[in-house]
Amino acid sequence: MGQGGEEYPVLTLGQAPATVSVRVAAATIIVTMTGVSLIVAMHAHARAVVLPGFLPAFASLTALADMLTAYLLWGQARAGEEPAVVVLVVTYFGCAVLVAANALLFPGAFFVAGGRMGEAAAWLWVFWHLFFVGGVTVYGLYPAAWSKPAACVRAARYGAGITLSSVAAAVALARSGSLPALIGEARFHVPTFLLVVLPAAMVVAMVALAYGRRARTVLDTWLFVAMAGMWCDTALMHLGNGRFSIGWYAAHAISLAAALAVLLGCLAEVNRLYGRLVWHEARMSHANADLRAMNSELSTMAEYDALTQLLNRRAVLQHLTEHFESWRQGGAAVGVLMIDLDHFKTINDEWGHLAGDEVLAQLAARLRTAMRQSDIIGRYGGEEFLVVLPGTSAQGVRVTAIKLLQAVRAAPFACLDGSITVTVSIGATCVGAKDPDPDSALARADRALYVAKRNGRDREVWADPAHDADP
């Protein structure tokens, strides 16, 4: 969900629809490149100052931009499991290598001019453009049926091998002298077939991109920028008709601008998507924290009695069962107390149910205060409480029962506008060897409780586990 409340998925560049702002930015760049090209075209053939360091700088920046774009797209292809994007990864990687090879063979750029280096550099420029156009065409027409996630790594491996082989073949062919001459007296003489092939190939690529992919994603939109730059680059290179002409400089500058625009545009979108992802993760983290809090609250509600804040019947019986099993496996003795509030019906009848609830809550707090931290107490039902005493012998159980009786007798219970004298009856026992399960000890403590009530209440009665009979 965005800041305005909109829901959106976190998508890769090849999946995220191009927003209006992305389309406007791309259109602005295309219009600017076209406008600059039209202005330069009128003086493209004019000779300019020879800058020997221009081509090395151009080649380095362009190759770096293409390599970074390939790396960025590879991460996108892996993240979105999109083999189609791998085609572009291979394309940009191959273009980076071809740009570097073109600059290395350019006369005087890195090495002393000699042999057919100029012709080789010119042909590598052609191969570079054809390679990019071909890659975009394949990407635009990539069949959806081939988009299998497992194919990403395999496609990248095969594509890289084919690309390096193609580049090596292109360099060898460019330097072989078997291709038509493109340069004469430092000027281009472009054969007629190239004047047809290059524009035709670019038209096919843009049609494939527009109608195959339908130019619907961020990546498709920025590829249109790259294709527009290639159109301007090719036109100005042809009109410049020579090295170090205004058209030649402008063609390279626009080519570099287009490469950087695609890279920066993709980086901006990745940054935006990353921001969405971080926001989404933060929201999920808060949601998980809220969920954990709710689960904790539900767990507390499931285990505790709302009125007394003691364990409920199910929870305290679970503790009794766990300690019984531990005792049966050789653990410490376990004591059991059943406690019942005396004359609770009378309190409700005379003082009302609200007063009765207040007495139960205060009684629970007083009992809890008089017990050890390790002792377990829960509301068994109504006005009855069950106490489990881990690691407590028979004598310790009786001592605890007496202590609880005294804690209840210690002072009247404040209630509404008065006070109520409260007493309890306690049935006490320990888990014994004759107990097949915790219910047996519980039943024995319950019988002792009712003996205490029959004998006058406000007392404890001990039930010996060695004699599983009425106390």
Side-chain angles (χ1 to χ4, degrees):
M1 181 178 291
Q3 294 178 354
E6 59 184 302
E7 291 286 346
Y8 55 73
V10 178
L11 303 173
T12 64
L13 297 177
Q15 299 169 340
T19 60
V20 174
S21 59
V22 171
R23 292 179 183 275
V24 169
T28 301
I29 294 172
I30 291 174
V31 170
T32 301
M33 289 192 301
T34 303
V36 170
S37 299
L38 290 175
I39 294 172
V40 172
M42 295 183 291
H43 307 283
H45 63 281
R47 300 289 293 176
V49 178
V50 176
L51 299 174
F54 175 81
L55 193 66
F58 159 79
S60 300
L61 289 175
T62 304
L64 178 61
D66 285 349
M67 289 297 290
L68 289 175
T69 303
Y71 177 77
L72 172 66
L73 293 178
W74 173 240
Q76 296 288 303
R78 292 293 299 274
E81 298 184 330
E82 299 173 276
V85 179
V86 176
V87 174
L88 292 178
V89 174
V90 173
T91 299
Y92 271 96
F93 172 71
C95 286
V97 178
L98 284 169
V99 168
N102 169 261
L104 287 172
L105 293 179
F106 189 85
F110 289 97
F111 305 104
V112 178
R116 293 184 53 83
M117 292 180 67
E119 283 290 342
W123 272 107
L124 285 178
W125 180 90
V126 173
F127 292 151
W128 160 31
H129 285 63
L130 288 175
F131 189 83
F132 182 80
V133 169
V136 172
T137 303
V138 173
Y139 168 75
L141 299 177
Y142 195 93
W146 291 3
S147 297
K148 298 178 181 179
C152 277
V153 176
R154 185 169 62 252
R157 188 184 302 119
Y158 292 157
I162 293 172
T163 297
L164 291 175
S165 300
S166 300
V167 170
V171 173
L173 185 61
R175 299 192 63 185
S176 66
S178 59
L179 296 174
L182 297 180
I183 302 174
E185 298 179 356
R187 293 184 178 277
F188 284 101
H189 296 290
V190 183
T192 305
F193 80 94
L194 278 183
L195 292 177
V196 175
V197 170
L198 272 176
M202 287 189 281
V203 168
V204 170
M206 297 192 78
V207 169
L209 194 60
Y211 294 97
R213 302 287 299 180
R214 298 193 181 279
R216 61 189 180 275
T217 69
V218 171
L219 182 55
D220 301 337
T221 302
W222 287 112
L223 284 176
F224 262 98
V225 174
M227 289 302 304
M230 186 154 289
W231 270 103
C232 297
D233 171 16
T234 304
L236 290 175
M237 188 67 73
H238 173 65
L239 293 173
N241 196 29
R243 296 168 182 161
F244 302 113
S245 65
I246 292 178
W248 185 86
Y249 278 116
H252 285 82
I254 287 178
S255 177
L256 175 58
L260 292 175
V262 173
L263 175 61
L264 295 177
C266 290
L267 285 174
E269 186 64 18
V270 167
N271 185 59
R272 187 170 71 91
L273 294 177
Y274 178 75
R276 286 185 173 186
L277 179 61
V278 170
W279 190 92
H280 176 72
E281 289 295 328
R283 184 177 177 84
M284 287 295 295
S285 178
H286 288 309
N288 289 336
D290 292 341
L291 183 59
R292 285 192 296 269
M294 291 176 62
N295 287 337
S296 177
E297 184 178 351
L298 289 173
S299 177
T300 299
M301 292 173 62
E303 292 187 357
Y304 286 84
D305 175 65
L307 175 62
T308 63
Q309 300 303 306
L310 299 178
L311 293 173
N312 59 26
R313 180 187 182 111
R314 183 189 62 80
V316 73
L317 286 177
Q318 178 64 30
H319 281 282
L320 176 60
T321 300
E322 291 173 359
H323 285 287
F324 178 85
E325 293 298 329
S326 175
W327 166 82
R328 189 160 62 178
Q329 295 173 14
V334 182
V336 180
L337 299 179
M338 286 291 293
I339 304 174
D340 186 80
L341 177 59
D342 296 331
H343 303 295
F344 184 61
K345 184 177 183 304
T346 302
I347 294 174
N348 279 335
D349 291 344
E350 293 184 3
W351 293 81
H353 288 282
L354 290 179
D357 288 347
E358 180 62 25
V359 167
L360 285 175
Q362 291 187 40
L363 175 60
R366 196 172 294 189
L367 291 174
R368 178 70 268 179
T369 302
M371 293 165 52
R372 300 174 303 181
Q373 190 68 29
S374 59
D375 296 337
I376 301 162
I377 180 171
R379 187 179 182 187
Y380 191 69
E383 68 275 19
E384 286 189 320
F385 299 86
L386 171 61
V387 177
V388 180
L389 305 171
T392 308
S393 64
Q395 182 180 357
V397 173
R398 301 199 70 174
V399 168
T400 301
I402 294 172
K403 184 179 179 181
L404 294 179
L405 286 172
Q406 293 172 346
V408 176
R409 296 175 189 148
F413 285 61
C415 185
L416 300 179
D417 295 329
S419 60
I420 304 174
T421 300
V422 174
T423 61
V424 295
S425 299
I426 301 177
T429 190
C430 278
V431 171
K434 294 184 178 181
D435 293 326
D437 52 46
D439 290 342
S440 176
L442 192 63
R444 187 165 58 251
D446 193 50
R447 291 195 297 270
L449 169 65
Y450 280 95
V451 171
K453 297 182 84 63
R454 285 200 309 268
N455 291 345
R457 298 183 173 84
D458 189 21
R459 66 191 66 227
E460 64 88 17
V461 172
W462 170 256
D464 192 342
H467 307 91
D468 194 9
D470 290 341

